[in-house]
Amino acid sequence: MSIDRIANRYAKALYGSAEEESKLKEVLADLGIIEEAYNASAEFRMLLESPTISSQEKDKALSKLFEKSGFCDLTLNFLKLLAKKKRLDIFASILSALHRLIDEKNNVVDAVLETTLEISKEQEQKILAYLEKSFNKTIRLKKKINQSIGGGFKVVVDDKMIDSSVVHQLKRLHKQLLSA
């Protein structure tokens, strides 16, 4: 079974348990702290991912690290389960799957907006409002400067692209002229 499928199963199980116990906010806050530690500390990543450290040693180390953390029991039990099942090495994949699941449940999608120049807040809000209305979802917009589009903008939402760039318009015009 692929890592993504395994990570999705663990993410769904954690999400379902947290929602059922009304502890979703606490679990997400706990995981946010753990994710920061994971991203900031090579030693912590090594502890989670190293195949040479036994699951019992990982369990003991995690218990020591988090015993006075104030994390909810569900978070701690989830980490212990991952240690026991030798799945701590895919912790980052599980977090990614959990974030995708939460975005899906909350109807949130990522979008990338490419322009040749920095746009104003007003322009950004207009584009955002248009995208949210068109896709009927909450859009998390990431802006990117791309001189190669020549002007205008390109937006990618999910697997859909809206290309209003000058380069795209010129290519379309060129194609129409050649076919005429």
Side-chain angles (χ1 to χ4, degrees):
M1 190 178 312
S2 77
I3 289 174
D4 285 339
R5 287 184 66 189
I6 295 167
N8 282 334
R9 286 184 178 185
Y10 278 99
K12 284 179 184 177
L14 178 60
Y15 182 88
S17 296
E19 199 171 49
E20 187 178 295
E21 293 183 27
S22 300
K23 293 186 177 183
L24 188 59
K25 284 185 181 180
E26 293 96 321
V27 168
L28 292 177
D30 295 348
L31 290 176
I33 292 167
I34 296 167
E35 186 174 22
E36 283 180 31
Y38 179 87
N39 291 331
S41 171
E43 293 86 9
F44 186 60
R45 277 192 307 279
M46 188 176 80
L47 168 69
L48 297 183
E49 297 174 354
S50 176
T52 60
I53 302 172
S54 73
S55 58
Q56 292 84 7
E57 289 175 288
K58 288 180 183 183
D59 189 6
K60 284 180 190 174
L62 289 172
S63 292
K64 273 189 177 180
L65 273 172
F66 299 122
E67 68 185 13
K68 295 180 183 171
S69 64
F71 288 170
C72 78
D73 290 341
L74 186 57
T75 304
L76 295 174
N77 290 338
F78 182 71
L79 291 173
K80 288 178 181 183
L81 175 70
L82 292 179
K84 181 180 174 187
K85 297 288 186 177
K86 298 180 179 164
R87 294 296 189 195
L88 280 170
D89 60 326
I90 63 167
F91 180 73
S93 297
I94 294 169
L95 284 178
S96 294
L98 183 61
H99 291 305
R100 283 191 306 272
L101 179 62
I102 291 167
D103 284 350
E104 184 180 307
K105 298 273 186 195
N106 293 325
N107 209 24
V108 175
V109 293
D110 290 321
V112 177
L113 170 65
E114 294 182 23
T115 58
T116 54
L117 303 169
E118 194 68 36
I119 62 171
S120 70
K121 281 286 182 198
E122 184 180 319
Q123 291 169 319
E124 180 181 336
Q125 292 304 318
K126 284 181 181 178
I127 291 170
L128 191 58
Y130 171 78
L131 291 173
E132 287 181 342
K133 184 177 178 189
S134 298
F135 288 91
N136 198 26
K137 295 182 184 238
T138 301
I139 304 289
R140 189 170 34 231
L141 194 62
K142 178 182 175 193
K143 297 183 291 183
K144 185 175 167 185
I145 302 295
N146 180 354
Q147 299 295 326
S148 70
I149 64 172
F153 66 90
K154 269 183 8 181
V155 180
V156 178
V157 180
D158 283 334
D159 292 333
K160 297 169 185 69
M161 180 188 295
I162 300 170
D163 193 344
S164 293
S165 67
V166 171
V167 169
H168 177 72
Q169 300 300 327
L170 288 172
K171 284 180 182 176
R172 274 191 28 212
L173 181 61
H174 179 71
K175 194 174 186 180
Q176 287 176 345
L177 289 173
L178 288 177
S179 66

